[in-house]
Amino acid sequence: MSNATSPATIRPEEAAHFGKLAADWWDPKGSSAMLHRLNPVRLGFIRSAIDAHWPGDSHLVRPLLGKRALDVGCGAGLLCEPLARLGVSVTGVDAAAENIAAASAHAAGGGLSIDYRHGEIGALGLSGFDLVCSMEVIEHVADKAAFVRALAATLAPGGLMVLSTPNRTTHSKWLMVEAAERIGMVPRGTHHWDDFITPDELRDLLDGAGLIMGEPQGIAFSPLKGLHLSSDLALNYIVTATAR
């Protein structure tokens, strides 16, 4: 779905790749096993960012109660569902119709009411979200500047955005592409190293969309800790953004 004022950001081949994984998405030992390991790390960062952004609600078990959240590139809903349990009204958007079907079915099975949409974020007319997330997605889009502008357009005044993405470094190339994909930890063809975004590049993209980037935190890996938040940005990083 697109229109004349919303540049297309979806790459059909990327949507097809992830759509093929839809049936396996919720299996913690399946093709998305790495996302299941990554999700608690991302959620820990998001909860801390929420508490810092809305400090008056930080003591609450459901700090987002009464607020609206949007997850762009939601896959089968791995992030949407825990966000819904924090009390927020959640909308999930994905480029693959198969993912939206799997997400809707899983949410219904868990008694969760989540509004899932299939299509181009810039063409769906979504706006007014207090929290906007897009995790490991920007590397997969065709027009990164247009994608970030579309994300910014969905954010409510005073809202919070959280993005995560692999960094374009030698470390990420060897670990995330050459190693992880070759040994089957990540499905072959998932990552394209040339499309990874450095923190400075992401800061420029956010600035062009009228957003200020917070201090990025790395998502690192070690045999002892597994995936964890770190000051090391060489592999992957997660960051907040707010309107200027």
Side-chain angles (χ1 to χ4, degrees), residues 12-190:
E13 67 276 13
E14 296 276 6
H17 172 81
F18 289 104
K20 290 177 183 177
L21 308 177
D24 199 33
W25 207 288
W26 280 97
D27 181 358
K29 296 182 179 178
S31 59
S32 296
M34 190 58 65
L35 287 179
H36 284 266
R37 298 175 191 171
L38 182 58
N39 215 36
V41 182
R42 300 190 302 197
L43 284 165
F45 179 91
I46 290 170
R47 178 59 199 257
S48 294
I50 289 168
D51 289 346
H53 193 70
W54 291 288
D57 296 336
S58 62
H59 65 289
L60 300 176
V61 175
R62 304 177 78 194
L64 292 176
L65 192 63
K67 292 183 171 63
R68 301 174 69 219
L70 174 67
D71 183 22
V72 180
C74 64
L78 286 185
L79 183 62
C80 289
E81 293 200 7
L83 286 177
R85 293 189 178 96
L86 289 176
V88 69
S89 174
V90 180
T91 297
V93 173
D94 201 84
E98 300 93 334
N99 288 342
I100 292 301
S104 299
H106 196 273
L112 294 171
S113 179
I114 298 173
D115 178 16
Y116 283 113
R117 311 279 189 95
H118 167 240
E120 181 75 55
I121 183 59
L124 290 175
L126 299 171
S127 63
F129 290 91
D130 302 287
L131 175 67
V132 175
C133 297
S134 189
M135 303 294 164
E136 318 299 313
V137 174
I138 194 170
E139 64 165 299
H140 301 292
V141 304
D143 187 331
K144 293 171 176 43
F147 179 72
V148 172
R149 289 194 301 269
L151 291 180
T154 68
L155 197 62
L160 173 69
M161 187 181 294
V162 182
L163 306 173
S164 68
T165 186
N167 196 357
R168 194 176 67 255
T169 64
T170 302
H171 188 61
S172 69
K173 182 175 185 178
W174 286 106
L175 191 58
M176 295 185 70
V177 182
E178 299 299 335
E181 293 195 11
R182 285 183 186 278
I183 66 176
M185 291 178 66
V186 176
R188 196 74 169 149
T190 294

Side-chain angles (χ1 to χ4, degrees), residues 195-232:
D195 274 323
F196 289 1
I197 299 291
T198 69
D200 285 343
E201 290 167 346
L202 182 57
R203 183 177 287 106
D204 288 343
L205 288 169
L206 290 166
D207 181 68
L211 299 171
I212 299 171
M213 189 170 101
E215 190 65 28
Q217 266 196 279
I219 300 176
F221 175 82
S222 73
L224 291 178
K225 293 183 178 180
L227 291 167
H228 60 282
L229 293 174
S230 167
S231 59
D232 182 1

